[in-house]
C-alpha cells in the first residue's frame, strides 16, 4: 500500500470503531432504560443528601491523579501505588476498588457507572472503605450507593428522562461525558478535578497474558466457583475471553495481544480526550493497547 492508501485505511478502521461505539452506546442506553429510570428515582433521597460532581471542579488543580483500572497489569503495579497515597489523588474504577483495599490502599475516590445489579457486586462485602468517597452516576444500583451513604458525589451521563422532569423541580447534577466504560468516566473525573498530570494504571484494554482482569476483583468469586466444578483457572479465564469475541491487535510494544472492538473504541475515545485535555496524560500500565498521540508511556 502507498502511504496515502495506508493512512486512508487507518482512518477507515478508526471510523468503523467510532460507528461501532456509537451503536453500542445506543444499544446500552436502550437496554438499560427501564433500570436507569427506576434507579434514578430510587436514588433521589441519596442525591439530596450527597454532593454534586460540580463541587469537584478544579478542586485538585495541578495535583497528580492516579486513575486505576482493573486490567491484568494492575497486579504488577499495585505495590508501587501503595507507596503513593500522599503523592496524588487516587481515583479507582469500580472493579479496581476491592484489589486496592485488599492491598491496604484507600483510594480517595471510586467511580461507578453501570446501573446493573450484577455490576453492584463490586461494592458488596468490601473491606473497610470509610476513607473512600463514591463518585456515582445517578442510576447506579441503590445497593451499591448504600455502602457509602453521604460520602457520594453524583453525576449524570445524559439528558434523557427522568432528568428533564427532575430539572423542572429544581434537581440537577453535573453532566460527565463517558464512553461505554467506567475507565472513561474516571479519566473525565480527573480532568474535571483539575488534576495534572493524569497517570493511568491497570488500563490494559486487552487480555494481557490471556487474562480478563487482575487478581482480587469480584470475579475471583466466579473463578473459585468454576474451580470448585473442576475447571482450572486458565480455563476459566479462557472461557471469559472467548465469550467476548476477542481479536488480535498490536499492543503498545508492537507485539500481538488480544482485545475486542469495544475496548478498541474505549482506547480511541481516551486518546482523543487526552489530546484535547490540556493535561499531561501518562499511561503507566506497561502493557495493553492504550497508546496514541497525547498519551505518554512510562
Amino acid at each position: 500500500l502507498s502511504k496515502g492508501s495506508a493512512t486512508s485505511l487507518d482512518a477507515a478502521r478508526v471510523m468503523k470503531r467510532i460507528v461501532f461505539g456509537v451503536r453500542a452506546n445506543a444499544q446500552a442506553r436502550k437496554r438499560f432504560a427501564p433500570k436507569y429510570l427506576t434507579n434514578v428515582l430510587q436514588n433521589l433521597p441519596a442525591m439530596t443528601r450527597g454532593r454534586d460532581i460540580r463541587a469537584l471542579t478544579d478542586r485538585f488543580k495541578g495535583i497528580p491523579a492516579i486513575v486505576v483500572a482493573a486490567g491484568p497489569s494492575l497486579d504488577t503495579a499495585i505495590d508501587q501505588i501503595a507507596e503513593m497515597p500522599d503523592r496524588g489523588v487516587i481515583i479507582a474504577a469500580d472493579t479496581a476498588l476491592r484489589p486496592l483495599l485488599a492491598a491496604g490502599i484507600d483510594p480517595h475516590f471510586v467511580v461507578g457507572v453501570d446501573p446493573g445489579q450484577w455490576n453492584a457486586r463490586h461494592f458488596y462485602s468490601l473491606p473497610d472503605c470509610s476513607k473512600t468517597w463514591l463518585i456515582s452516576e445517578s442510576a447506579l444500583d441503590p445497593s451499591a450507593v448504600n455502602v457509602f451513604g453521604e460520602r457520594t458525589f453524583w453525576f449524570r451521563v445524559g439528558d434523557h428522562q427522568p432528568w428533564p422532569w427532575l430539572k423542572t423541580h429544581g434537581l440537577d447534577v453535573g453532566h460527565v461525558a463517558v464512553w461505554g466504560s467506567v475507565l472513561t468516566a474516571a479519566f473525565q473525573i480527573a480532568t474535571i478535578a483539575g488534576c495534572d498530570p493524569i497517570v493511568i494504571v491497570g488500563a490494559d484494554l486487552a487480555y494481557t497474558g490471556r487474562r480478563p482482569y487482575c487478581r482480587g476483583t469480584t470475579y475471583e468469586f466466579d473463578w473459585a466457583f468454576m474451580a470448585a466444578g473442576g475447571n482450572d483457572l486458565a480455563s476459566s479465564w479462557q472461557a471469559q475471553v472467548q465469550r467476548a469475541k476477542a481479536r488480535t491487535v498490536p499492543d503498545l510494544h508492537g507485539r500481538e495481544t488480544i482485545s475486542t472492538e469495544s475496548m478498541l473504541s474505549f482506547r480511541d475515545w481516551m486518546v482523543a480526550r487526552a489530546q484535547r485535555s490540556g493535561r499531561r496524560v501518562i499511561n503507566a500500565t506497561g502493557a495493553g493497547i492504550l497508546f496514541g498521540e497525547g498519551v505518554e508511556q512510562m
Side-chain angles (χ1 to χ4, degrees), residues 224-257:
F225 179 80
M226 295 177 74
N231 293 312
D232 61 69
L233 199 52
S235 298
S236 299
W237 290 338
Q238 184 61 26
Q240 197 164 347
V241 172
Q242 288 175 340
R243 287 195 299 270
K245 299 180 181 179
R247 52 173 285 196
T248 301
V249 297
D251 70 4
L252 54 83
H253 301 292
R255 299 189 291 261
E256 288 190 345
T257 191

Side-chain angles (χ1 to χ4, degrees), residues 18-41:
I18 291 172
V19 172
F20 173 86
V22 169
R23 288 175 177 169
N25 276 274
Q27 291 169 358
R29 283 195 296 270
K30 184 176 181 179
R31 185 172 70 254
F32 286 122
K35 187 69 172 174
Y36 186 96
L37 178 62
T38 56
N39 281 6
V40 171
L41 295 177

Side-chain angles (χ1 to χ4, degrees), residues 165-176:
W165 175 73
L166 290 174
K167 288 178 185 179
T168 65
H169 294 275
L171 180 62
D172 192 17
V173 292
H175 174 265
V176 175

Side-chain angles (χ1 to χ4, degrees), residues 13-89:
R13 287 170 175 164
V14 171
M15 182 58 67
K16 181 180 178 181
R17 289 200 292 271
I18 291 172
V19 172
F20 173 86
V22 169
R23 288 175 177 169
N25 276 274
Q27 291 169 358
R29 283 195 296 270
K30 184 176 181 179
R31 185 172 70 254
F32 286 122
K35 187 69 172 174
Y36 186 96
L37 178 62
T38 56
N39 281 6
V40 171
L41 295 177
Q42 290 181 52
N43 283 331
L44 286 178
M47 273 189 265
T48 60
R49 295 191 299 270
R51 303 187 186 186
D52 189 326
I53 189 62
R54 288 173 288 195
L56 285 180
T57 302
D58 288 337
R59 176 63 180 81
F60 300 100
K61 189 172 183 178
I63 296 175
I66 304 168
V67 175
V68 185
S73 295
L74 182 59
D75 287 339
T76 60
I78 205 160
D79 288 342
Q80 289 177 292
I81 298 172
E83 300 172 1
M84 300 182 177
D86 299 320
R87 296 174 62 184
V89 181

Side-chain angles (χ1 to χ4, degrees), residues 4-5 10 48 56 71 76 107 123 130 134 146 168 170 183 194 231 272 281 283:
S5 298
D10 288 342
T48 60
L56 285 180
T76 60
F123 299 100
S130 57
L134 173 66
N146 291 339
T168 65
L183 172 62
N231 293 312
V281 179
N283 179 28

